Short mmCIF file of all heavy atoms in Angstrom, two decimals:
data_model
loop_
_atom_site.label_atom_id
_atom_site.label_comp_id
_atom_site.label_asym_id
_atom_site.label_seq_id
_atom_site.Cartn_x
_atom_site.Cartn_y
_atom_site.Cartn_z
N PRO A 4 6.34 7.64 -25.80
CA PRO A 4 5.52 7.79 -24.60
C PRO A 4 5.11 9.23 -24.29
O PRO A 4 4.77 9.54 -23.15
CB PRO A 4 6.45 7.26 -23.50
CG PRO A 4 7.81 7.71 -23.96
CD PRO A 4 7.78 7.58 -25.46
N TYR A 5 5.14 10.11 -25.29
CA TYR A 5 4.77 11.51 -25.05
C TYR A 5 3.35 11.79 -25.55
O TYR A 5 3.01 12.91 -25.91
CB TYR A 5 5.79 12.43 -25.74
CG TYR A 5 7.20 12.13 -25.29
CD1 TYR A 5 8.11 11.55 -26.16
CD2 TYR A 5 7.60 12.38 -23.98
CE1 TYR A 5 9.39 11.24 -25.73
CE2 TYR A 5 8.88 12.08 -23.54
CZ TYR A 5 9.78 11.50 -24.44
OH TYR A 5 11.04 11.18 -24.01
N HIS A 6 2.53 10.75 -25.55
CA HIS A 6 1.13 10.86 -26.00
C HIS A 6 0.29 11.49 -24.90
O HIS A 6 0.68 11.58 -23.73
CB HIS A 6 0.61 9.47 -26.36
CG HIS A 6 0.72 8.48 -25.23
ND1 HIS A 6 1.92 8.08 -24.70
CD2 HIS A 6 -0.24 7.84 -24.51
CE1 HIS A 6 1.72 7.21 -23.72
NE2 HIS A 6 0.41 7.06 -23.57
N VAL A 7 -0.91 11.96 -25.31
CA VAL A 7 -1.86 12.57 -24.36
C VAL A 7 -3.17 11.78 -24.44
O VAL A 7 -3.79 11.67 -25.50
CB VAL A 7 -2.09 14.06 -24.70
CG1 VAL A 7 -3.09 14.67 -23.72
CG2 VAL A 7 -0.77 14.82 -24.63
N LYS A 8 -3.60 11.26 -23.31
CA LYS A 8 -4.70 10.30 -23.27
C LYS A 8 -6.03 10.88 -23.74
O LYS A 8 -6.75 10.25 -24.51
CB LYS A 8 -4.84 9.75 -21.85
CG LYS A 8 -5.93 8.69 -21.72
CD LYS A 8 -5.96 8.11 -20.31
CE LYS A 8 -7.06 7.05 -20.19
NZ LYS A 8 -7.10 6.47 -18.82
N GLN A 9 -6.38 12.09 -23.28
CA GLN A 9 -7.73 12.62 -23.54
C GLN A 9 -8.05 12.75 -25.03
O GLN A 9 -9.09 12.26 -25.49
CB GLN A 9 -7.89 13.96 -22.80
CG GLN A 9 -9.28 14.58 -22.95
CD GLN A 9 -9.34 15.63 -24.06
OE1 GLN A 9 -8.32 16.21 -24.43
NE2 GLN A 9 -10.52 15.83 -24.61
N PRO A 10 -7.19 13.39 -25.86
CA PRO A 10 -7.53 13.46 -27.28
C PRO A 10 -7.48 12.09 -27.97
O PRO A 10 -8.21 11.87 -28.95
CB PRO A 10 -6.48 14.42 -27.85
CG PRO A 10 -5.37 14.43 -26.86
CD PRO A 10 -6.00 14.19 -25.54
N ILE A 11 -6.64 11.20 -27.48
CA ILE A 11 -6.61 9.85 -28.06
C ILE A 11 -7.95 9.16 -27.82
O ILE A 11 -8.51 8.53 -28.73
CB ILE A 11 -5.46 9.01 -27.45
CG1 ILE A 11 -4.10 9.57 -27.88
CG2 ILE A 11 -5.58 7.55 -27.87
CD1 ILE A 11 -2.93 8.92 -27.18
N MET A 12 -8.48 9.27 -26.62
CA MET A 12 -9.76 8.65 -26.30
C MET A 12 -10.89 9.25 -27.14
O MET A 12 -11.81 8.55 -27.54
CB MET A 12 -10.07 8.79 -24.81
CG MET A 12 -9.10 8.05 -23.90
SD MET A 12 -8.93 6.29 -24.32
CE MET A 12 -10.59 5.70 -24.02
N GLN A 13 -10.80 10.55 -27.41
CA GLN A 13 -11.82 11.17 -28.26
C GLN A 13 -11.75 10.63 -29.69
O GLN A 13 -12.78 10.40 -30.33
CB GLN A 13 -11.64 12.69 -28.26
CG GLN A 13 -12.12 13.36 -26.99
CD GLN A 13 -12.15 14.87 -27.10
OE1 GLN A 13 -11.45 15.56 -26.39
NE2 GLN A 13 -12.97 15.38 -27.99
N ALA A 14 -10.53 10.43 -30.20
CA ALA A 14 -10.38 9.88 -31.55
C ALA A 14 -10.92 8.45 -31.61
O ALA A 14 -11.63 8.07 -32.55
CB ALA A 14 -8.91 9.91 -31.97
N ILE A 15 -10.62 7.65 -30.59
CA ILE A 15 -11.10 6.27 -30.55
C ILE A 15 -12.63 6.24 -30.46
O ILE A 15 -13.30 5.47 -31.16
CB ILE A 15 -10.47 5.51 -29.37
CG1 ILE A 15 -8.99 5.26 -29.65
CG2 ILE A 15 -11.20 4.19 -29.10
CD1 ILE A 15 -8.22 4.66 -28.48
N LYS A 16 -13.19 7.09 -29.61
CA LYS A 16 -14.66 7.14 -29.47
C LYS A 16 -15.31 7.54 -30.80
O LYS A 16 -16.33 6.93 -31.20
CB LYS A 16 -15.05 8.13 -28.38
CG LYS A 16 -16.56 8.20 -28.13
CD LYS A 16 -16.90 9.18 -27.01
CE LYS A 16 -18.40 9.16 -26.69
NZ LYS A 16 -19.25 9.45 -27.86
N TYR A 17 -14.74 8.52 -31.49
CA TYR A 17 -15.31 8.94 -32.78
C TYR A 17 -15.27 7.77 -33.77
O TYR A 17 -16.24 7.53 -34.51
CB TYR A 17 -14.54 10.14 -33.33
CG TYR A 17 -15.20 10.76 -34.54
CD1 TYR A 17 -16.08 11.83 -34.40
CD2 TYR A 17 -14.95 10.28 -35.84
CE1 TYR A 17 -16.70 12.40 -35.51
CE2 TYR A 17 -15.56 10.84 -36.94
CZ TYR A 17 -16.43 11.89 -36.77
OH TYR A 17 -17.05 12.44 -37.87
N GLY A 18 -14.15 7.07 -33.81
CA GLY A 18 -14.04 5.93 -34.73
C GLY A 18 -15.05 4.84 -34.42
O GLY A 18 -15.69 4.30 -35.33
N LYS A 19 -15.23 4.52 -33.14
CA LYS A 19 -16.19 3.49 -32.76
C LYS A 19 -17.63 3.94 -33.03
O LYS A 19 -18.44 3.16 -33.53
CB LYS A 19 -16.00 3.13 -31.30
CG LYS A 19 -14.68 2.42 -30.99
CD LYS A 19 -14.55 2.07 -29.53
CE LYS A 19 -15.49 0.95 -29.13
NZ LYS A 19 -15.25 0.51 -27.73
N ASP A 20 -17.94 5.21 -32.71
CA ASP A 20 -19.28 5.72 -32.93
C ASP A 20 -19.65 5.73 -34.42
O ASP A 20 -20.84 5.66 -34.77
CB ASP A 20 -19.42 7.14 -32.38
CG ASP A 20 -19.42 7.20 -30.86
OD1 ASP A 20 -19.58 6.14 -30.24
OD2 ASP A 20 -19.27 8.31 -30.31
N ASN A 21 -18.65 5.82 -35.29
CA ASN A 21 -18.89 5.89 -36.72
C ASN A 21 -18.51 4.60 -37.45
O ASN A 21 -18.32 4.59 -38.68
CB ASN A 21 -18.14 7.08 -37.32
CG ASN A 21 -18.75 8.40 -36.92
OD1 ASN A 21 -19.69 8.87 -37.56
ND2 ASN A 21 -18.24 9.01 -35.85
N ASN A 22 -18.36 3.52 -36.70
CA ASN A 22 -18.15 2.17 -37.25
C ASN A 22 -16.94 2.10 -38.18
O ASN A 22 -17.02 1.54 -39.28
CB ASN A 22 -19.42 1.71 -37.99
CG ASN A 22 -20.63 1.65 -37.09
OD1 ASN A 22 -20.56 1.10 -35.99
ND2 ASN A 22 -21.73 2.22 -37.53
N ALA A 23 -15.83 2.65 -37.73
CA ALA A 23 -14.60 2.56 -38.53
C ALA A 23 -14.24 1.10 -38.75
O ALA A 23 -14.24 0.30 -37.82
CB ALA A 23 -13.46 3.28 -37.81
N ASN A 24 -13.93 0.74 -40.01
CA ASN A 24 -13.53 -0.63 -40.30
C ASN A 24 -12.05 -0.73 -40.67
O ASN A 24 -11.57 -1.81 -41.05
CB ASN A 24 -14.40 -1.24 -41.40
CG ASN A 24 -14.33 -0.45 -42.70
OD1 ASN A 24 -13.48 0.42 -42.88
ND2 ASN A 24 -15.23 -0.75 -43.61
N MET A 25 -11.33 0.39 -40.61
CA MET A 25 -9.88 0.37 -40.81
C MET A 25 -9.26 1.52 -40.02
O MET A 25 -9.84 2.61 -39.96
CB MET A 25 -9.52 0.53 -42.29
CG MET A 25 -8.03 0.34 -42.56
SD MET A 25 -7.55 0.75 -44.25
CE MET A 25 -7.36 2.53 -44.12
N ILE A 26 -8.12 1.27 -39.42
CA ILE A 26 -7.38 2.30 -38.70
C ILE A 26 -6.02 2.43 -39.35
O ILE A 26 -5.28 1.44 -39.46
CB ILE A 26 -7.23 1.94 -37.21
CG1 ILE A 26 -8.60 1.82 -36.55
CG2 ILE A 26 -6.38 2.98 -36.49
CD1 ILE A 26 -8.56 1.19 -35.18
N LEU A 27 -5.68 3.62 -39.78
CA LEU A 27 -4.37 3.89 -40.35
C LEU A 27 -3.58 4.72 -39.35
O LEU A 27 -3.89 5.88 -39.10
CB LEU A 27 -4.49 4.64 -41.68
CG LEU A 27 -3.18 5.14 -42.30
CD1 LEU A 27 -2.20 4.00 -42.53
CD2 LEU A 27 -3.46 5.87 -43.61
N LEU A 28 -2.56 4.10 -38.77
CA LEU A 28 -1.64 4.79 -37.87
C LEU A 28 -0.54 5.37 -38.75
O LEU A 28 0.37 4.66 -39.19
CB LEU A 28 -1.08 3.81 -36.84
CG LEU A 28 -2.16 3.14 -35.96
CD1 LEU A 28 -1.56 1.99 -35.16
CD2 LEU A 28 -2.82 4.15 -35.06
N ASN A 29 -0.62 6.67 -39.00
CA ASN A 29 0.12 7.29 -40.09
C ASN A 29 1.48 7.86 -39.67
O ASN A 29 1.80 9.00 -39.98
CB ASN A 29 -0.75 8.40 -40.72
CG ASN A 29 -0.16 8.92 -42.02
OD1 ASN A 29 0.52 8.19 -42.74
ND2 ASN A 29 -0.41 10.18 -42.32
N GLY A 30 2.27 7.05 -38.97
CA GLY A 30 3.64 7.44 -38.67
C GLY A 30 3.82 8.18 -37.37
O GLY A 30 2.93 8.89 -36.90
N ASP A 31 4.99 8.01 -36.76
CA ASP A 31 5.35 8.64 -35.49
C ASP A 31 4.40 8.24 -34.38
O ASP A 31 4.10 9.02 -33.48
CB ASP A 31 5.43 10.16 -35.61
CG ASP A 31 6.62 10.62 -36.45
OD1 ASP A 31 7.39 9.77 -36.92
OD2 ASP A 31 6.76 11.84 -36.66
N ILE A 32 3.95 6.98 -34.42
CA ILE A 32 3.21 6.44 -33.29
C ILE A 32 4.17 6.27 -32.12
O ILE A 32 3.86 6.57 -30.99
CB ILE A 32 2.55 5.09 -33.67
CG1 ILE A 32 1.62 5.28 -34.86
CG2 ILE A 32 1.80 4.51 -32.48
CD1 ILE A 32 0.58 6.37 -34.70
N ALA A 33 5.38 5.79 -32.43
CA ALA A 33 6.45 5.70 -31.43
C ALA A 33 7.38 6.89 -31.61
O ALA A 33 7.65 7.32 -32.73
CB ALA A 33 7.22 4.39 -31.61
N ASP A 34 7.89 7.40 -30.50
CA ASP A 34 8.84 8.51 -30.60
C ASP A 34 10.27 8.00 -30.82
O ASP A 34 11.04 8.61 -31.55
CB ASP A 34 8.80 9.35 -29.32
CG ASP A 34 9.60 10.63 -29.47
OD1 ASP A 34 9.06 11.60 -30.02
OD2 ASP A 34 10.78 10.65 -29.05
N PHE A 35 10.61 6.87 -30.19
CA PHE A 35 11.96 6.28 -30.27
C PHE A 35 13.02 7.31 -29.89
O PHE A 35 14.06 7.45 -30.54
CB PHE A 35 12.21 5.69 -31.65
CG PHE A 35 11.55 4.34 -31.86
CD1 PHE A 35 11.60 3.70 -33.08
CD2 PHE A 35 10.86 3.72 -30.83
CE1 PHE A 35 11.00 2.47 -33.28
CE2 PHE A 35 10.24 2.49 -31.01
CZ PHE A 35 10.31 1.86 -32.23
N PHE A 36 12.73 8.02 -28.80
CA PHE A 36 13.66 9.01 -28.26
C PHE A 36 15.03 8.40 -27.98
O PHE A 36 16.07 9.00 -28.25
CB PHE A 36 13.06 9.61 -26.98
CG PHE A 36 13.95 10.56 -26.24
CD1 PHE A 36 13.91 11.92 -26.53
CD2 PHE A 36 14.81 10.12 -25.24
CE1 PHE A 36 14.74 12.81 -25.86
CE2 PHE A 36 15.62 11.01 -24.56
CZ PHE A 36 15.58 12.35 -24.87
N SER A 37 15.03 7.18 -27.45
CA SER A 37 16.26 6.56 -26.99
C SER A 37 17.24 6.24 -28.10
O SER A 37 18.44 6.11 -27.86
CB SER A 37 15.95 5.28 -26.21
OG SER A 37 15.09 5.55 -25.13
N VAL A 38 16.75 6.10 -29.33
CA VAL A 38 17.65 5.75 -30.44
C VAL A 38 17.77 6.91 -31.42
O VAL A 38 18.22 6.74 -32.55
CB VAL A 38 17.20 4.47 -31.17
CG1 VAL A 38 17.36 3.27 -30.27
CG2 VAL A 38 15.74 4.58 -31.64
N SER A 39 17.41 8.10 -30.99
CA SER A 39 17.56 9.28 -31.83
C SER A 39 19.00 9.73 -31.85
O SER A 39 19.75 9.57 -30.86
CB SER A 39 16.68 10.41 -31.28
OG SER A 39 17.01 11.64 -31.91
N PHE A 40 19.45 10.32 -32.97
CA PHE A 40 20.78 10.90 -33.05
C PHE A 40 20.79 12.37 -32.63
O PHE A 40 21.85 12.99 -32.57
CB PHE A 40 21.36 10.74 -34.46
CG PHE A 40 21.88 9.34 -34.70
CD1 PHE A 40 21.10 8.40 -35.34
CD2 PHE A 40 23.13 8.96 -34.25
CE1 PHE A 40 21.55 7.12 -35.55
CE2 PHE A 40 23.60 7.67 -34.45
CZ PHE A 40 22.81 6.74 -35.11
N TRP A 41 19.61 12.93 -32.37
CA TRP A 41 19.57 14.28 -31.84
C TRP A 41 20.05 14.24 -30.39
O TRP A 41 20.04 13.21 -29.74
CB TRP A 41 18.15 14.84 -31.90
CG TRP A 41 17.64 15.00 -33.30
CD1 TRP A 41 16.77 14.16 -33.96
CD2 TRP A 41 17.94 16.05 -34.21
NE1 TRP A 41 16.53 14.61 -35.22
CE2 TRP A 41 17.25 15.78 -35.42
CE3 TRP A 41 18.75 17.18 -34.15
CZ2 TRP A 41 17.31 16.59 -36.53
CZ3 TRP A 41 18.81 18.01 -35.28
CH2 TRP A 41 18.10 17.72 -36.43
N GLU A 42 20.45 15.40 -29.89
CA GLU A 42 20.93 15.47 -28.51
C GLU A 42 19.84 14.99 -27.56
O GLU A 42 18.71 15.43 -27.62
CB GLU A 42 21.31 16.92 -28.17
CG GLU A 42 21.86 17.08 -26.75
CD GLU A 42 22.21 18.53 -26.44
OE1 GLU A 42 22.25 19.35 -27.38
OE2 GLU A 42 22.44 18.82 -25.27
N LYS A 43 20.20 14.07 -26.68
CA LYS A 43 19.22 13.43 -25.81
C LYS A 43 19.56 13.68 -24.35
O LYS A 43 20.72 13.76 -23.96
CB LYS A 43 19.18 11.92 -26.08
CG LYS A 43 18.79 11.53 -27.48
CD LYS A 43 18.76 10.03 -27.66
CE LYS A 43 20.16 9.41 -27.64
NZ LYS A 43 20.94 9.78 -28.82
N ASP A 44 18.52 13.75 -23.52
CA ASP A 44 18.68 13.79 -22.08
C ASP A 44 18.87 12.33 -21.62
O ASP A 44 17.94 11.53 -21.71
CB ASP A 44 17.45 14.39 -21.43
CG ASP A 44 17.58 14.52 -19.92
OD1 ASP A 44 18.45 13.86 -19.34
OD2 ASP A 44 16.79 15.26 -19.32
N PRO A 45 20.07 11.96 -21.15
CA PRO A 45 20.30 10.56 -20.77
C PRO A 45 19.38 10.05 -19.69
O PRO A 45 19.17 8.84 -19.56
CB PRO A 45 21.77 10.56 -20.31
CG PRO A 45 22.07 11.98 -19.96
CD PRO A 45 21.23 12.81 -20.89
N ARG A 46 18.78 10.96 -18.94
CA ARG A 46 17.85 10.52 -17.89
C ARG A 46 16.55 9.98 -18.47
O ARG A 46 15.77 9.34 -17.76
CB ARG A 46 17.54 11.72 -16.97
CG ARG A 46 18.75 12.22 -16.17
CD ARG A 46 18.46 13.54 -15.49
NE ARG A 46 18.26 14.60 -16.49
CZ ARG A 46 18.03 15.88 -16.17
NH1 ARG A 46 17.98 16.23 -14.89
NH2 ARG A 46 17.84 16.78 -17.11
N LYS A 47 16.28 10.25 -19.74
CA LYS A 47 15.03 9.81 -20.36
C LYS A 47 15.22 8.59 -21.25
O LYS A 47 14.29 8.17 -21.93
CB LYS A 47 14.44 10.96 -21.19
CG LYS A 47 14.03 12.17 -20.36
CD LYS A 47 13.43 13.25 -21.24
CE LYS A 47 13.01 14.46 -20.44
NZ LYS A 47 12.42 15.52 -21.30
N ARG A 48 16.40 8.02 -21.25
CA ARG A 48 16.64 6.86 -22.12
C ARG A 48 16.05 5.59 -21.50
O ARG A 48 16.48 5.14 -20.44
CB ARG A 48 18.15 6.67 -22.33
CG ARG A 48 18.78 7.72 -23.22
CD ARG A 48 20.27 7.45 -23.40
NE ARG A 48 20.88 8.39 -24.30
CZ ARG A 48 22.20 8.46 -24.52
NH1 ARG A 48 23.00 7.62 -23.90
NH2 ARG A 48 22.69 9.35 -25.35
N ASP A 49 15.06 5.05 -22.15
CA ASP A 49 14.42 3.82 -21.69
C ASP A 49 13.76 3.16 -22.90
O ASP A 49 12.54 3.20 -23.05
CB ASP A 49 13.40 4.12 -20.60
CG ASP A 49 12.73 2.85 -20.06
OD1 ASP A 49 13.22 1.73 -20.35
OD2 ASP A 49 11.70 2.98 -19.35
N PHE A 50 14.56 2.55 -23.76
CA PHE A 50 14.02 2.00 -25.00
C PHE A 50 13.05 0.86 -24.72
O PHE A 50 11.99 0.76 -25.36
CB PHE A 50 15.17 1.53 -25.89
CG PHE A 50 14.73 1.14 -27.27
CD1 PHE A 50 13.96 2.00 -28.04
CD2 PHE A 50 15.09 -0.08 -27.82
CE1 PHE A 50 13.55 1.66 -29.32
CE2 PHE A 50 14.69 -0.44 -29.10
CZ PHE A 50 13.92 0.43 -29.84
N ALA A 51 13.39 0.00 -23.76
CA ALA A 51 12.48 -1.10 -23.41
C ALA A 51 11.14 -0.57 -22.92
O ALA A 51 10.08 -1.09 -23.29
CB ALA A 51 13.12 -2.00 -22.36
N GLY A 52 11.19 0.49 -22.13
CA GLY A 52 9.95 1.09 -21.65
C GLY A 52 9.13 1.69 -22.78
O GLY A 52 7.90 1.57 -22.80
N GLU A 53 9.80 2.33 -23.75
CA GLU A 53 9.10 2.89 -24.92
C GLU A 53 8.39 1.79 -25.68
O GLU A 53 7.21 1.92 -26.05
CB GLU A 53 10.08 3.61 -25.84
CG GLU A 53 10.58 4.94 -25.32
CD GLU A 53 11.40 5.69 -26.36
OE1 GLU A 53 10.83 6.04 -27.40
OE2 GLU A 53 12.59 5.89 -26.12
#
Side-chain angles (χ1 to χ4, degrees):
Y5 305 110
H6 56 296
V7 179
K8 183 176 179 180
Q9 182 263 336
I11 292 173
M12 295 306 297
Q13 285 190 242
I15 289 173
K16 182 179 185 303
Y17 189 93
K19 293 181 71 174
D20 288 347
N21 289 275
N22 300 313
N24 59 13
M25 188 188 83
I26 299 167
L27 173 57
L28 301 169
N29 190 30
D31 291 358
I32 302 307
D34 190 83
F35 282 176
F36 175 90
S37 303
V38 292
S39 168
F40 282 97
W41 296 101
E42 181 180 349
K43 299 180 289 291
D44 182 343
R46 294 169 294 183
K47 296 181 180 180
R48 288 181 177 173
D49 182 13
F50 189 52
E53 286 188 63

